[in-house]
Amino acid sequence: LTSDKQNCLNCGDKCTSCDTNGNCIKCAWSFYPKAGKCEACPDNCHFCMNEKCMICQRGYKLQKKTGVCDKK
């Protein structure tokens, strides 16, 4: 909703929640908010925070120091 609560906003592709200015603050799985838009997580990553992976896709193992997913 806009700040006047009169109109709905288009939050953008892969965005699940945005502020009253239309900047994305929460994205779909495998995406993260950056500069008001949704960016894709690193390769083989299921869930990330900023550019660092937290949960890898099935068949991959998380390297905690780097946030990268490697094949098991």
Side-chain angles (χ1 to χ4, degrees):
L1 270 158
T2 55
S3 58
D4 62 6
K5 298 186 181 184
Q6 299 294 314
N7 297 299
C8 290
L9 292 170
N10 180 353
C11 293
D13 194 35
K14 305 294 182 188
C15 184
T16 59
S17 181
C18 60
D19 64 18
T20 57
N21 294 317
N23 294 312
C24 190
I25 53 175
K26 188 174 181 184
C27 300
W29 279 94
S30 300
F31 291 85
Y32 66 96
K34 181 177 181 181
K37 297 184 180 184
C38 292
E39 298 286 333
C41 289
D43 290 341
N44 308 310
C45 182
H46 187 61
F47 176 75
C48 64
M49 295 182 87
N50 299 319
E51 297 174 19
K52 189 172 182 180
C53 190
M54 300 283 129
I55 302 172
C56 295
Q57 293 176 353
R58 185 171 284 169
Y60 292 85
K61 182 177 180 178
L62 179 63
Q63 300 299 319
K64 291 186 180 186
K65 286 184 180 180
T66 61
V68 173
C69 298
D70 291 329
K71 190 93 171 154
K72 283 186 178 179

